[in-house]
Structure formats: structure tokens, C-alpha cells
Amino acid sequence: MTELFVRRASGLLLIFLAAAVPVVTAARLSEWEKSLAARKSVEALGIGEVAAVGTLLWGIVLVGLWWHWRRVTMWPVWSRWASVTGLFAAFLESAQLAGDRGKPVALVIWLGLVVLCWALGEAVRLVTTRPVTPGLITSKLEIPFPVRDLKARLCVRADRLVLDSLASRRKRSRDVAAIPWTALRSIELVEVEQEMTCTVFLFSGGREPDSRQYDIRPGPALHVIGTARELLVPVTTRTGRTVLAAVEARSAGVEPDQEQPAFDDWCRSAGVSRYDDEQPRGGRRYATDRRPYVLGVIGAFLLAPLFMLCGTYLSLLTGSERMQRQFKVFNGVIDPIWVATLGIGSIVFLYLLNRFVIRSFFDAMKTQDFIEAFPEPPPPPPKTGTVPGSGKKRKKR
């Protein structure tokens, strides 16, 4: 428990630094630009003002960290998103210093800031996933492992074994093959004696799955058999043994289900009509990478009153006259009718957010988990001409 707390706390601290350092740097660059321009009547860009701009993005980052609380392999991604607001503000200030004030060193500072934020993301990856200790193995945090001679990655999650990055390292969620513990039949470390090709089936959006092939050179490999798929993953001997230990620890006590879902159950869980043909639906080439991004636009609209309420509070906290004018704060006093309107609007819109965005998102992610593990349906039941459940033939009229 202490180890997990230290790992998470260290990762969160690094993410905070990735968000805060660019904001402070942007404010300092703004003060430098103001001093060079001798603009006494113009207020320099303050830390509070930059923070107010980044409130919405940082809120999304916090939600993402909560959603990926166990999937710490996503934390470096959220760390880089957290730095976007400060990096953008710092770039505007450094570009103005370089172009208008003849200080190209400002752009060098900005480039160094980009490298620092990227390095902080890599540091987040290291502190949360390495070294692979017994405490990490017995936890529920995701553990990534490299795959020998391939760009793919093998991850041991709390409830499943995942092979991702079959097509792209940049987009790990594309072409994902998974075997949940409930569908795991066996896993063993074997020795591949000659070069061979392995085929992985992937959900396509219809009943006919896509396939990906990769070559396996002679050497150790993990042979994984699940209810709906079989994987042969080339690894080093040390990595293979560590993966076996992690799978054994996390799948202990889980009762495997040896039966595939029924045809109708598969269609319902995969979101495929029982009468669909076997061709993928348009726009769903990478089905395991499908995300309901449109819900983000709807969610941003529904969070508008809450954003305004937070901006009103920050305008008082920072004392910025510009922010107070923007958020209807007059002489340091908030209009009570304005606050009441925003409060009521936030409650109503949060309800709509949960009803039409959050629930839909969870349903979409549940579908993704299913199609990663069950890329194709079992054969449909044969038509026997009997009345379902009776065992007797239907009488013709």
C-alpha cells in the first residue's frame, strides 16, 4: 500500500510540475516583455490569468486521471496535456519577445520548456511502472512490457492481458487484442524454434473480423489461449517470467468461463444488428479505437455554467481587474443574482451531463472492452424448425 501511494503521489507531483512550470514561465516572460516595452499602463500577464484559461483543460486532465486511476500508462499522456496551456501562453510571449524586442533567446527558453515537459512525462512513466516489484505485481496498476522485435506492447491490467500497438505506437488504443481473466484458459512460456507468422483477429464493426499478422523470430514467447482468441507473443525470458508472475497473481481466484457468448448475446454486446451483413460499418476501420468524441463537445457545453462560476471565484481570488470585468464582478462584489443563476444552471447542466454524456461514455467503453476480447461471434444456432424451448417441431398450417 505504501509503495502504491508513493508511486501515485510521485506521478501526480510530476504532472503538477508539468502544468505549473510553463504557467510560471509564461508569466515571467510577460513581465520581461513589459519591462522592455516600458508599458507602465499595461498590466503584465499574471499567473492567475493563465491559470484561469487552463481551468477547463486541467479539469479534463483531472477527469482523465480519475478515469485512468489504475491505467498509469496513460498518465504521461495526461501530463503532456496538462502542460499545453502554459506552453501556448509561453510561446506567444516568447514569440513577441523574439519578434518585437529582438530577444531570440526567448524562443530558446520556450524550446527548453517543451523538452522539460516531455521529460516530466517520461519521468511519470518511470515512477509509476518501473521497477516491476512484487508490490506492483500484486496491485491493480497496469504494467507495460516490451515485446521482442515488435513495436507492439504487452500490458497486464487488473482484469485482463492486453496486446496493443499492433499498428501504431503513437496510438496505443488502435488494434487492441485482449484476454480477460474470465476468458483465460492457459498461459505458458514456450520456445519458438523457427521463424513463423502469427495472426490476430480484430473486431471490424461487423461480424467478419479484421486480421493483423506479425512475424516471430526464434526465441522465447508467451503462448496465451483464451476463450475467443489465441496469442503468441515474443518476449525475453526475463520479461516472460515477470508477466507469468503478474498474470498468476492477478487472475488468482477468478473463475474462468469456458463458453463463448451466444450469438445473440455477442451481437447485443458488440453493438451489431443481428441482421447486419459481414462488412464493417462505414467509418469504423479501427473499431477498437472508436471513441465517442462528440460527447466531449456536448460535455463542454454542459459545463459552461460551472466554468463561469469557477472564473468568477478566481477573479476574486487573483484580484485581476480584467477577469473581474469578464466575469461580472463589480468593485470586488459579486452580483448575487448572477451567482444564483450560475448555481442553478450548473446543477441542471450537471444532471444532463450525467444523463446524456457520462452514461453514454461508460456504455461505449464497456463495448470496447467486450470487442477487444471477443472480435468475432460464434456461429449462429442452426435453424431446426422447432418452437424455441419446446423441443417439438412447429406444425405447418
Side-chain angles (χ1 to χ4, degrees), residues 279-346:
Q279 298 300 320
R281 296 177 181 177
R284 296 190 64 182
R285 182 180 176 187
Y286 299 105
T288 59
D289 188 41
R290 179 176 175 269
R291 297 291 185 268
Y293 293 116
V294 67
L295 294 178
V297 179
I298 300 173
F301 169 74
L302 294 176
L303 286 172
L306 188 61
F307 171 76
M308 295 295 293
L309 195 61
C310 292
T312 302
Y313 173 74
L314 285 175
S315 67
L316 283 179
L317 188 65
T318 59
S320 172
E321 295 182 1
R322 184 189 306 174
M323 289 182 61
Q324 289 186 7
R325 289 194 301 269
Q326 182 179 359
F327 292 102
K328 298 183 180 302
V329 178
F330 305 101
N331 298 323
V333 179
I334 305 176
D335 184 0
I337 299 178
W338 170 250
V339 175
T341 302
L342 288 179
I344 296 174
S346 297

Side-chain angles (χ1 to χ4, degrees), residues 128-152:
T128 53
T129 63
R130 292 296 182 271
V132 182
T133 60
L136 183 60
I137 288 176
T138 56
S139 72
K140 294 184 178 181
L141 300 186
E142 183 178 16
I143 310 175
F145 294 95
V147 176
R148 178 171 55 88
D149 298 328
L150 294 177
K151 60 184 177 182

Side-chain angles (χ1 to χ4, degrees), residues 25-353:
T25 304
R28 296 294 177 265
L29 289 173
S30 179
E31 292 178 0
W32 186 21
E33 195 276 334
K34 179 187 175 182
S35 64
L36 291 176
R39 298 180 304 171
K40 297 181 180 180
S41 61
V42 179
E43 183 181 356
L45 188 66
I47 295 177
E49 293 174 301
V50 181
V53 175
T55 301
L56 179 60
L57 180 59
W58 290 337
I60 296 174
V61 170
L62 289 175
V63 173
L65 289 172
W66 169 79
W67 174 253
H68 292 131
W69 187 241
R70 293 176 178 174
R71 286 194 57 192
V72 290
T73 55
M74 287 295 298
W75 284 27
V77 177
W78 291 116
S79 173
R80 285 158 191 151
W81 274 110
S83 64
V84 166
T85 299
L87 286 176
F88 180 73
F91 174 75
L92 294 179
E93 295 296 332
S94 60
Q96 190 168 3
L97 281 166
D100 298 341
R101 310 302 169 200
K103 298 293 182 180
V105 68
L107 289 176
V108 177
I109 294 174
W110 182 79
L111 290 175
L113 194 62
V114 173
V115 173
L116 175 62
C117 292
W118 185 270
L120 286 172
E122 292 302 309
V124 171
R125 185 191 313 278
L126 290 176
V127 300
T128 53
T129 63
R130 292 296 182 271
V132 182
T133 60
L136 183 60
I137 288 176
T138 56
S139 72
K140 294 184 178 181
L141 300 186
E142 183 178 16
I143 310 175
F145 294 95
V147 176
R148 178 171 55 88
D149 298 328
L150 294 177
K151 60 184 177 182
R153 181 182 66 172
L154 189 66
C155 293
V156 181
R157 297 183 187 171
D159 63 338
R160 60 183 51 206
L161 185 68
V162 176
L163 181 65
D164 61 22
S165 304
L166 290 170
S168 170
R169 285 182 178 178
R170 184 184 62 85
K171 208 159 189 180
R172 299 285 190 180
S173 57
R174 177 170 294 174
D175 291 351
V176 178
I179 300 181
W181 307 144
T182 53
L184 180 64
R185 294 185 179 182
S186 66
I187 179 172
E188 58 180 342
L189 186 62
V190 299
E191 191 72 21
V192 177
E193 298 181 354
Q194 59 183 2
E195 187 171 347
M196 60 184 301
T197 300
C198 183
T199 301
V200 177
F201 291 103
L202 302 162
F203 183 75
S204 63
R207 292 193 222 157
E208 186 69 22
D210 287 335
S211 63
R212 296 288 183 271
Q213 293 183 339
Y214 56 88
D215 296 327
I216 301 178
R217 296 182 179 181
L222 285 169
H223 185 206
V224 191
I225 300 177
T227 303
R229 63 164 72 253
E230 182 177 359
L231 299 175
L232 189 62
V233 186
V235 293
T236 63
T237 302
R238 180 178 180 181
T239 297
R241 290 173 179 172
T242 307
V243 172
L244 286 176
V247 171
E248 181 180 357
R250 298 188 177 193
S251 62
V254 177
E255 189 67 27
D257 185 4
Q258 301 295 339
E259 298 294 333
Q260 291 196 43
F263 181 79
D264 289 341
D265 293 337
W266 184 91
C267 291
R268 182 172 57 255
S269 298
V272 176
S273 171
R274 197 183 191 285
Y275 303 101
D276 280 354
D277 56 22
E278 295 183 349
Q279 298 300 320
R281 296 177 181 177
R284 296 190 64 182
R285 182 180 176 187
Y286 299 105
T288 59
D289 188 41
R290 179 176 175 269
R291 297 291 185 268
Y293 293 116
V294 67
L295 294 178
V297 179
I298 300 173
F301 169 74
L302 294 176
L303 286 172
L306 188 61
F307 171 76
M308 295 295 293
L309 195 61
C310 292
T312 302
Y313 173 74
L314 285 175
S315 67
L316 283 179
L317 188 65
T318 59
S320 172
E321 295 182 1
R322 184 189 306 174
M323 289 182 61
Q324 289 186 7
R325 289 194 301 269
Q326 182 179 359
F327 292 102
K328 298 183 180 302
V329 178
F330 305 101
N331 298 323
V333 179
I334 305 176
D335 184 0
I337 299 178
W338 170 250
V339 175
T341 302
L342 288 179
I344 296 174
S346 297
I347 294 174
V348 173
F349 279 36
L350 285 174
Y351 168 78
L352 297 176
L353 181 75

